[in-house]
Amino acid sequence: RLLSSFSLLAKASKLHPDDLEVRLKYAMALQSVGKTKESRDEVLQILSLQPTNEEALMLLVDASGSTNDLNDARQRLGNLSSVGGGLAGYQIALGTAALRTRDTNTAAECYRRALSANPQSGAAHMAMGSLYVINKDLTNALAEFKQAAAVSPLRSPYQVRYADFLVTMDASSE
């Protein structure tokens, strides 16, 4: 069943190369089964058509398996700063790329800019909360995860992550 869905996305992506939603779903599917190079190639094609596609920008960083790929992703993001700089997704992608190289200061600044660009971004609150966890600031992490859940649709991944965090916090206090 998964294979047939995957095949359908691959065919749809080839049949409708201008349908960026289908291509993005295909890139995500590739990434989910560990085909990072293929996913990255698909994302780069999406970005060539729509350089400010926030989901594609974030997936570009996620699909960067090697250090060279990550450096390339950071360079590509840097080249887009004039058109994407004010987008929350762009700032989250930049912050995540910085975080993957253990540059927590740059990541924090990018996540702050993402929250400034869109205070209702569940992804931005989740990213900032994750950074707080890395820095062992669980009080602020909890506040960010709670805000991510509050601004997100019912049963969103952000609400699930918040619930998981609450359970983990409760278990660690016992």
Side-chain angles (χ1 to χ4, degrees), residues 48-74:
S48 73
L49 297 169
Q50 189 180 43
T52 57
N53 185 306
E54 293 187 53
E55 289 180 274
L57 289 168
M58 289 189 271
L59 190 55
L60 176 64
V61 174
D62 291 341
S64 296
S66 70
T67 302
N68 286 342
D69 287 349
L70 187 57
N71 289 337
D72 181 61
R74 287 182 85 171

Side-chain angles (χ1 to χ4, degrees), residues 114-125:
L115 287 166
S116 177
N118 183 359
Q120 298 300 307
S121 170
H125 286 288

Side-chain angles (χ1 to χ4, degrees), residues 6 9-10 13-14 20-48 53 55-66 69 72-73 76 100:
F6 191 80
L9 280 173
S13 180
K14 287 185 187 358
L20 300 185
E21 188 68 29
V22 167
R23 294 187 76 173
L24 189 60
K25 286 179 181 175
Y26 179 52
M28 289 176 183
L30 287 166
Q31 180 67 16
S32 72
V33 296
K35 295 184 177 225
T36 54
K37 182 187 178 332
E38 294 89 342
S39 174
R40 191 170 184 284
D41 290 345
E42 191 69 23
V43 168
L44 290 173
Q45 290 178 29
I46 293 166
L47 290 172
S48 73
N53 185 306
E55 289 180 274
L57 289 168
M58 289 189 271
L59 190 55
L60 176 64
V61 174
D62 291 341
S64 296
S66 70
D69 287 349
D72 181 61
R76 286 176 189 277
R100 289 204 32 210

Side-chain angles (χ1 to χ4, degrees), residues 73-136:
R74 287 182 85 171
Q75 182 178 352
R76 286 176 189 277
L77 289 167
N79 292 341
L80 292 172
S81 64
S82 62
V83 291
L87 299 172
Y90 172 82
Q91 293 298 333
I92 296 167
L94 259 179
T96 303
L99 197 56
R100 289 204 32 210
T101 60
R102 294 178 172 67
D103 184 353
T104 56
N105 292 330
T106 298
E109 184 56 37
C110 291
Y111 296 157
R112 280 188 205 97
R113 286 193 299 260
L115 287 166
S116 177
N118 183 359
Q120 298 300 307
S121 170
H125 286 288
M126 191 58 58
M128 185 61 92
S130 296
L131 180 61
Y132 282 132
V133 169
I134 289 167
N135 290 330
K136 297 180 178 33

Side-chain angles (χ1 to χ4, degrees), residues 129-158:
S130 296
L131 180 61
Y132 282 132
V133 169
I134 289 167
N135 290 330
K136 297 180 178 33
D137 181 349
L138 300 183
T139 301
N140 282 319
L142 180 62
E144 290 295 340
F145 290 154
K146 183 177 183 178
Q147 187 61 27
V151 300
S152 299
L154 189 61
R155 295 187 194 100
S156 74
Y158 304 135

